[in-house]
PDB file of all heavy atoms in Angstrom:
ATOM      1  N   PRO A  44      11.216 -12.176   2.396  1.00  0.00           N
ATOM      2  CA  PRO A  44      10.100 -11.419   3.072  1.00  0.00           C
ATOM      3  C   PRO A  44       9.131 -12.308   3.745  1.00  0.00           C
ATOM      4  O   PRO A  44       8.695 -13.266   3.071  1.00  0.00           O
ATOM      5  CB  PRO A  44       9.647 -10.542   2.025  1.00  0.00           C
ATOM      6  CG  PRO A  44       9.978 -11.144   0.717  1.00  0.00           C
ATOM      7  CD  PRO A  44      11.280 -11.937   0.918  1.00  0.00           C
ATOM      8  N   ARG A  45       8.571 -11.981   4.904  1.00  0.00           N
ATOM      9  CA  ARG A  45       7.567 -12.723   5.415  1.00  0.00           C
ATOM     10  C   ARG A  45       6.144 -12.427   4.683  1.00  0.00           C
ATOM     11  O   ARG A  45       6.044 -11.507   4.100  1.00  0.00           O
ATOM     12  CB  ARG A  45       7.400 -12.357   6.800  1.00  0.00           C
ATOM     13  CG  ARG A  45       8.562 -12.715   7.718  1.00  0.00           C
ATOM     14  CD  ARG A  45       8.401 -12.256   9.144  1.00  0.00           C
ATOM     15  NE  ARG A  45       9.712 -12.641   9.904  1.00  0.00           N
ATOM     16  CZ  ARG A  45       9.773 -12.224  11.253  1.00  0.00           C
ATOM     17  NH1 ARG A  45       8.764 -11.563  11.862  1.00  0.00           N
ATOM     18  NH2 ARG A  45      10.842 -12.476  11.890  1.00  0.00           N
ATOM     19  N   THR A  46       5.270 -13.410   4.909  1.00  0.00           N
ATOM     20  CA  THR A  46       3.993 -13.236   4.206  1.00  0.00           C
ATOM     21  C   THR A  46       3.293 -12.019   4.599  1.00  0.00           C
ATOM     22  O   THR A  46       3.239 -11.765   5.900  1.00  0.00           O
ATOM     23  CB  THR A  46       3.116 -14.475   4.474  1.00  0.00           C
ATOM     24  OG1 THR A  46       3.781 -15.667   4.073  1.00  0.00           O
ATOM     25  CG2 THR A  46       1.643 -14.356   3.752  1.00  0.00           C
ATOM     26  N   GLY A  47       2.938 -11.224   3.705  1.00  0.00           N
ATOM     27  CA  GLY A  47       2.110  -9.882   4.130  1.00  0.00           C
ATOM     28  C   GLY A  47       3.041  -8.679   4.263  1.00  0.00           C
ATOM     29  O   GLY A  47       2.581  -7.663   4.410  1.00  0.00           O
ATOM     30  N   SER A  48       4.329  -8.997   4.292  1.00  0.00           N
ATOM     31  CA  SER A  48       5.260  -7.757   4.548  1.00  0.00           C
ATOM     32  C   SER A  48       5.814  -7.387   3.192  1.00  0.00           C
ATOM     33  O   SER A  48       5.837  -8.093   2.269  1.00  0.00           O
ATOM     34  CB  SER A  48       6.403  -8.265   5.513  1.00  0.00           C
ATOM     35  OG  SER A  48       7.191  -9.290   4.856  1.00  0.00           O
ATOM     36  N   ALA A  49       6.138  -5.986   3.206  1.00  0.00           N
ATOM     37  CA  ALA A  49       6.648  -5.347   1.978  1.00  0.00           C
ATOM     38  C   ALA A  49       8.036  -5.845   1.694  1.00  0.00           C
ATOM     39  O   ALA A  49       8.858  -6.041   2.608  1.00  0.00           O
ATOM     40  CB  ALA A  49       6.653  -3.881   2.137  1.00  0.00           C
ATOM     41  N   PRO A  50       8.397  -6.136   0.444  1.00  0.00           N
ATOM     42  CA  PRO A  50       9.836  -6.590   0.232  1.00  0.00           C
ATOM     43  C   PRO A  50      10.815  -5.574   0.566  1.00  0.00           C
ATOM     44  O   PRO A  50      10.576  -4.295   0.301  1.00  0.00           O
ATOM     45  CB  PRO A  50       9.794  -6.837  -1.238  1.00  0.00           C
ATOM     46  CG  PRO A  50       8.693  -6.218  -1.762  1.00  0.00           C
ATOM     47  CD  PRO A  50       7.637  -6.112  -0.693  1.00  0.00           C
ATOM     48  N   ARG A  51      12.001  -5.927   1.157  1.00  0.00           N
ATOM     49  CA  ARG A  51      13.040  -4.817   1.571  1.00  0.00           C
ATOM     50  C   ARG A  51      14.052  -4.873   0.431  1.00  0.00           C
ATOM     51  O   ARG A  51      14.365  -5.857  -0.320  1.00  0.00           O
ATOM     52  CB  ARG A  51      13.639  -5.263   2.825  1.00  0.00           C
ATOM     53  CG  ARG A  51      12.664  -5.059   3.954  1.00  0.00           C
ATOM     54  CD  ARG A  51      13.334  -5.493   5.310  1.00  0.00           C
ATOM     55  NE  ARG A  51      13.446  -6.959   5.325  1.00  0.00           N
ATOM     56  CZ  ARG A  51      13.954  -7.556   6.276  1.00  0.00           C
ATOM     57  NH1 ARG A  51      14.513  -6.998   7.467  1.00  0.00           N
ATOM     58  NH2 ARG A  51      14.111  -8.957   6.260  1.00  0.00           N
ATOM     59  N   PRO A  52      14.745  -3.670   0.233  1.00  0.00           N
ATOM     60  CA  PRO A  52      15.783  -3.654  -0.703  1.00  0.00           C
ATOM     61  C   PRO A  52      16.911  -4.719  -0.543  1.00  0.00           C
ATOM     62  O   PRO A  52      17.334  -4.902   0.660  1.00  0.00           O
ATOM     63  CB  PRO A  52      16.348  -2.275  -0.668  1.00  0.00           C
ATOM     64  CG  PRO A  52      15.296  -1.455   0.140  1.00  0.00           C
ATOM     65  CD  PRO A  52      14.588  -2.464   0.924  1.00  0.00           C
ATOM     66  N   VAL A  53      17.415  -5.336  -1.543  1.00  0.00           N
ATOM     67  CA  VAL A  53      18.444  -6.304  -1.399  1.00  0.00           C
ATOM     68  C   VAL A  53      19.876  -5.632  -1.861  1.00  0.00           C
ATOM     69  O   VAL A  53      20.038  -5.281  -3.069  1.00  0.00           O
ATOM     70  CB  VAL A  53      18.208  -7.457  -2.338  1.00  0.00           C
ATOM     71  CG1 VAL A  53      19.309  -8.547  -2.233  1.00  0.00           C
ATOM     72  CG2 VAL A  53      16.839  -8.135  -1.935  1.00  0.00           C
ATOM     73  N   PRO A  54      20.753  -5.346  -0.900  1.00  0.00           N
ATOM     74  CA  PRO A  54      21.993  -4.582  -1.171  1.00  0.00           C
ATOM     75  C   PRO A  54      22.709  -5.282  -2.478  1.00  0.00           C
ATOM     76  O   PRO A  54      23.278  -4.683  -3.330  1.00  0.00           O
ATOM     77  CB  PRO A  54      22.815  -4.667   0.038  1.00  0.00           C
ATOM     78  CG  PRO A  54      21.847  -4.861   1.123  1.00  0.00           C
ATOM     79  CD  PRO A  54      20.577  -5.633   0.504  1.00  0.00           C
ATOM     80  N   ALA A  55      22.759  -6.656  -2.446  1.00  0.00           N
ATOM     81  CA  ALA A  55      23.584  -7.333  -3.472  1.00  0.00           C
ATOM     82  C   ALA A  55      22.882  -6.983  -4.836  1.00  0.00           C
ATOM     83  O   ALA A  55      23.530  -6.870  -5.859  1.00  0.00           O
ATOM     84  CB  ALA A  55      23.554  -8.853  -3.282  1.00  0.00           C
ATOM     85  N   ALA A  56      21.558  -7.030  -4.926  1.00  0.00           N
ATOM     86  CA  ALA A  56      20.864  -6.647  -6.076  1.00  0.00           C
ATOM     87  C   ALA A  56      21.143  -5.266  -6.564  1.00  0.00           C
ATOM     88  O   ALA A  56      21.411  -4.980  -7.733  1.00  0.00           O
ATOM     89  CB  ALA A  56      19.367  -6.877  -6.062  1.00  0.00           C
ATOM     90  N   GLU A  57      21.264  -4.379  -5.682  1.00  0.00           N
ATOM     91  CA  GLU A  57      21.657  -2.963  -6.043  1.00  0.00           C
ATOM     92  C   GLU A  57      23.013  -2.952  -6.516  1.00  0.00           C
ATOM     93  O   GLU A  57      23.152  -2.087  -7.419  1.00  0.00           O
ATOM     94  CB  GLU A  57      21.459  -2.075  -4.755  1.00  0.00           C
ATOM     95  CG  GLU A  57      20.024  -1.855  -4.302  1.00  0.00           C
ATOM     96  CD  GLU A  57      19.892  -1.237  -2.981  1.00  0.00           C
ATOM     97  OE1 GLU A  57      20.950  -0.906  -2.501  1.00  0.00           O
ATOM     98  OE2 GLU A  57      18.778  -1.004  -2.608  1.00  0.00           O
ATOM     99  N   SER A  58      23.962  -3.674  -5.986  1.00  0.00           N
ATOM    100  CA  SER A  58      25.384  -3.743  -6.521  1.00  0.00           C
ATOM    101  C   SER A  58      25.377  -4.347  -7.893  1.00  0.00           C
ATOM    102  O   SER A  58      26.005  -3.772  -8.767  1.00  0.00           O
ATOM    103  CB  SER A  58      26.185  -4.720  -5.649  1.00  0.00           C
ATOM    104  OG  SER A  58      26.497  -3.970  -4.451  1.00  0.00           O
ATOM    105  N   MET A  59      24.600  -5.299  -8.214  1.00  0.00           N
ATOM    106  CA  MET A  59      24.449  -5.943  -9.484  1.00  0.00           C
ATOM    107  C   MET A  59      23.887  -4.883 -10.517  1.00  0.00           C
ATOM    108  O   MET A  59      24.392  -4.729 -11.633  1.00  0.00           O
ATOM    109  CB  MET A  59      23.496  -7.121  -9.521  1.00  0.00           C
ATOM    110  CG  MET A  59      23.422  -7.900 -10.855  1.00  0.00           C
ATOM    111  SD  MET A  59      25.017  -8.865 -11.003  1.00  0.00           S
ATOM    112  CE  MET A  59      25.015  -8.970 -12.870  1.00  0.00           C
ATOM    113  N   ASP A  60      22.929  -4.047 -10.056  1.00  0.00           N
ATOM    114  CA  ASP A  60      22.304  -2.998 -10.884  1.00  0.00           C
ATOM    115  C   ASP A  60      23.380  -2.010 -11.309  1.00  0.00           C
ATOM    116  O   ASP A  60      23.443  -1.562 -12.434  1.00  0.00           O
ATOM    117  CB  ASP A  60      21.169  -2.386 -10.213  1.00  0.00           C
ATOM    118  CG  ASP A  60      19.825  -3.338 -10.266  1.00  0.00           C
ATOM    119  OD1 ASP A  60      19.906  -4.234 -10.997  1.00  0.00           O
ATOM    120  OD2 ASP A  60      19.082  -3.046  -9.406  1.00  0.00           O
TER     121      ASP A  60
END
Side-chain angles (χ1 to χ4, degrees):
R45 296 178 181 177
T46 303
S48 63
R51 290 176 293 181
V53 180
E57 294 173 354
S58 283
M59 188 72 206
D60 288 342

